[in-house]
Amino acid sequence: MRHRKTELKCPICLEKFNTPKKLPCSHTFCEPCIQSYVQAETTEETKFFRCPLCRFKIEWSTLSASEWTQSKLQTDYMILALLERETNDSTPKQVYCEPCKIANEKNVAVHHCTDCKEFFCEQCFNYLHKRKIDNNLHTVTGITQDTDLKPLEMDEPCPLHSGKVLEVFCFDHKKLCCSICFATDHRKCDTVTSLDEIANEKKEQEEIYIDDFLNKLSDVEQCTKSAVDKAKENLGRINGDKESMLQSIADIISSTKSHLDTLHEELKLSIEKKFSDTENCQQFDIECLVAFQKTLFHDKGIIEAIKEHGSRKQKFVTLEKTKDALEKHFKRLCLAYNFSDSKKYVLDIEDELKDVQTLSTLATLPLQQSGENIMTDIKNKLCPLGCIGDQVTFQGSFPVSDVSKLPQFSGPFFHAKTLSKWVLKLSKKDGMLSMFLRCLSADCTDSSYEISTEFRLVNEADREKDIIKKYFNERFLYDSPQKGCSSIINWRILENEYISNDMMKIQVKVW
């Protein structure tokens, strides 16, 4: 099967990557490109900038753009390896020393350790590899023109633990893990397998699996493109509705006297303001969808490249990382999205126009809600990729040193299954702590559905003492958008066992 050649290009300059650097949101750019972008997007007043692809908010530091990109951003060694593989496929075989690349040096490798899965120049081999006792038993071969250099293995660094690489995959949670991740969060999981074992087990199916993933990813990209087109169409319809309404009102008011003219001007200003706000929301929605579309296109390009040039392990790791990143990007898209595309403005004109002098307003501008939601289409396309889970877990720490500041609300978190945004509310009444979930998306989903929830009050000293309250398959009504449990625990017990450094940790799971 012949595949078209895929070029690895920076999303900013659209040229091949030059010193690829990875942002916290997992998107990669040329180091000079992201430096220039950061310099252009930040000022002394702003403390953050947004990823050019997914619009993820990245907190800024006091460093200069060049210092920040060099010291804080991780080099994307997988992209470097793929670029080298592209070069090696079209030129005489030549690879470079892995330790030298970490030091931003480029020296030709002359030794290959099959146990370490690394290439070394003469100096690094003699002074780094040979001087470790455990390495004396490793199999090391010299690199010649006839040396088979495939597959090229690059261990992926763990995004949570510096200096650690991804080694295993937890099938229970569908998470890539390093040794620390496994020891802290996945020791009790039933199915945890090393990446090397998975790569060997899936080698016969990898081509079919990747092709299927790429096809489904293309479906998501096409669905997102359709959503962008639909949002732009809605924006044009809103402009048409506005002009039609304003003209209609102008025709009615033109036959009245001075007081009616005054009311006309007041109503016109009100309509202009409401449509302006809606247009701004719709334009922002389009920007969010375009950013998500760019993310899908970028991820598809990376996967096509890894399919052609990567090892089996790289293919599996990249697919799982892409799934995890897509879920996060989609959640951020839905958290930012205003769900304003299906609203329609309808002018309600007062019937009693005979006594104009008694009127305080000429019309109202209510919104009519339709059942159409383009986010549902994108979600349904993402589900076959394994990116959208049926549950979401929120964890937050709340300051309780001053109980007069209760109730408190968490930041919003997103439940993909119901396309809804939620916040956690804490309150104190009659010496008891109460916790509630409150839905922020009552205007964009069905009037009711069933959800299950688990509230967990964390005991930092002894997790066996965590207080857990569960509610299964309860009917949730949006006309009363709040659910939870009241009087969960006596405040005195809370103070003795569940407050650490004046903070209280709470976990909430919704499924």
Side-chain angles (χ1 to χ4, degrees), residues 346-379:
V346 178
L347 191 65
D348 186 11
I349 299 176
E350 297 285 347
D351 293 330
E352 299 179 0
L353 291 177
K354 294 180 180 180
D355 194 2
V356 176
Q357 298 295 329
T358 64
L359 296 180
S360 59
T361 181
L362 290 179
T364 58
L365 199 64
L367 300 180
Q368 288 185 347
Q369 180 69 40
S370 73
E372 183 183 23
N373 188 347
I374 60 177
M375 284 296 140
T376 302
D377 296 334
I378 299 178
K379 183 193 76 170

Side-chain angles (χ1 to χ4, degrees), residues 156-218:
E156 281 290 315
C158 176
L160 301 178
H161 303 104
S162 177
K164 296 294 182 179
V165 297
L166 300 174
E167 299 177 8
V168 299
F169 182 73
C170 175
F171 285 90
D172 294 355
H173 295 92
K174 295 184 178 179
K175 292 292 183 183
L176 295 162
C177 313
C178 70
S179 57
I180 297 179
C181 295
F182 170 74
T184 54
D185 298 323
H186 301 275
R187 286 186 296 108
K188 297 182 179 180
C189 295
D190 294 329
T191 310
V192 180
T193 310
S194 74
L195 296 178
D196 291 327
E197 292 180 24
I198 294 173
N200 291 330
E201 291 174 359
K202 292 183 177 292
K203 61 183 179 181
E204 296 180 356
Q205 305 176 359
E206 64 182 21
E207 287 295 325
I208 298 176
Y209 183 59
I210 293 179
D211 287 340
D212 182 60
F213 189 89
L214 283 170
N215 290 335
K216 292 176 179 177
L217 196 61
S218 297

Side-chain angles (χ1 to χ4, degrees), residues 279-488:
E279 289 170 353
N280 290 336
C281 289
Q282 189 70 58
Q283 189 62 49
F284 180 74
D285 290 348
I286 291 173
E287 293 175 2
C288 292
L289 290 167
V290 169
F292 186 69
Q293 180 187 3
K294 290 180 180 178
T295 296
L296 293 170
F297 180 82
H298 177 261
D299 289 349
K300 188 172 72 172
I302 295 298
I303 293 176
E304 289 174 344
I306 202 73
K307 172 187 173 183
E308 183 174 356
H309 302 294
S311 68
R312 292 191 295 272
K313 178 177 175 181
Q314 283 178 324
K315 293 173 183 177
F316 180 81
V317 169
T318 302
L319 291 182
E320 295 303 325
K321 286 179 63 180
T322 302
K323 292 179 184 179
D324 188 59
L326 280 176
E327 181 175 11
K328 294 176 182 177
H329 299 322
F330 181 65
K331 287 180 180 179
R332 286 195 293 269
L333 170 64
C334 291
L335 283 171
Y337 195 81
N338 294 289
F339 299 99
S340 60
D341 60 287
S342 59
K343 296 182 176 70
K344 180 175 178 62
Y345 290 94
V346 178
L347 191 65
D348 186 11
I349 299 176
E350 297 285 347
D351 293 330
E352 299 179 0
L353 291 177
K354 294 180 180 180
D355 194 2
V356 176
Q357 298 295 329
T358 64
L359 296 180
S360 59
T361 181
L362 290 179
T364 58
L365 199 64
L367 300 180
Q368 288 185 347
Q369 180 69 40
S370 73
E372 183 183 23
N373 188 347
I374 60 177
M375 284 296 140
T376 302
D377 296 334
I378 299 178
K379 183 193 76 170
N380 292 337
K381 293 293 184 181
L382 282 174
C383 285
L385 293 176
C387 301
I388 303 299
D390 289 336
Q391 69 179 39
V392 60
T393 300
F394 166 78
Q395 177 173 294
S397 295
F398 296 83
V400 292
S401 56
D402 186 0
V403 296
S404 64
K405 294 183 178 180
L406 293 175
Q408 291 188 24
F409 293 87
S410 71
F413 59 98
F414 177 72
H415 185 214
K417 179 181 178 182
T418 57
L419 289 176
S420 53
K421 304 173 189 177
W422 301 76
V423 294
L424 176 64
K425 174 187 175 183
L426 268 64
S427 61
K428 180 185 178 185
K429 185 177 181 182
D430 299 329
M432 308 295 285
L433 171 69
S434 299
M435 297 189 295
F436 293 92
L437 275 180
R438 176 171 291 176
C439 185
L440 301 179
S441 305
D443 61 337
C444 63
T445 52
D446 294 335
S447 60
S448 66
Y449 59 86
E450 287 185 353
I451 63 171
S452 298
T453 55
E454 176 187 281
F455 294 81
R456 180 185 292 265
L457 193 60
V458 177
N459 187 312
E460 296 280 15
D462 185 359
R463 292 301 303 274
E464 298 294 331
K465 294 183 179 180
D466 287 359
I467 295 178
I468 303 174
K469 296 286 185 178
K470 293 185 178 181
Y471 302 84
F472 295 101
N473 298 325
E474 291 195 338
R475 177 63 62 178
F476 185 91
L477 301 176
Y478 273 117
D479 54 4
S480 179
Q482 179 169 286
K483 80 180 309 299
C485 49
S486 61
S487 303
I488 185 174

Side-chain angles (χ1 to χ4, degrees), residues 226-240:
S226 299
V228 172
D229 295 339
K230 187 179 294 184
K232 290 180 178 179
E233 181 182 340
N234 288 334
L235 182 59
R237 177 184 54 78
I238 289 173
N239 288 326

Side-chain angles (χ1 to χ4, degrees), residues 97-104 118-121 124 128:
C97 174
E98 303 292 341
C100 290
K101 284 194 291 186
I102 296 176
N104 291 323
E118 283 191 317
F119 299 103
F120 299 93
C121 65
C124 290
L128 292 179

Side-chain angles (χ1 to χ4, degrees), residues 245-263:
M245 289 182 188
L246 290 175
Q247 184 60 48
S248 176
I249 294 169
D251 293 342
I252 295 173
I253 294 178
S254 62
S255 62
T256 64
K257 301 295 183 179
S258 60
H259 181 67
L260 191 57
D261 289 334
T262 301
L263 293 178

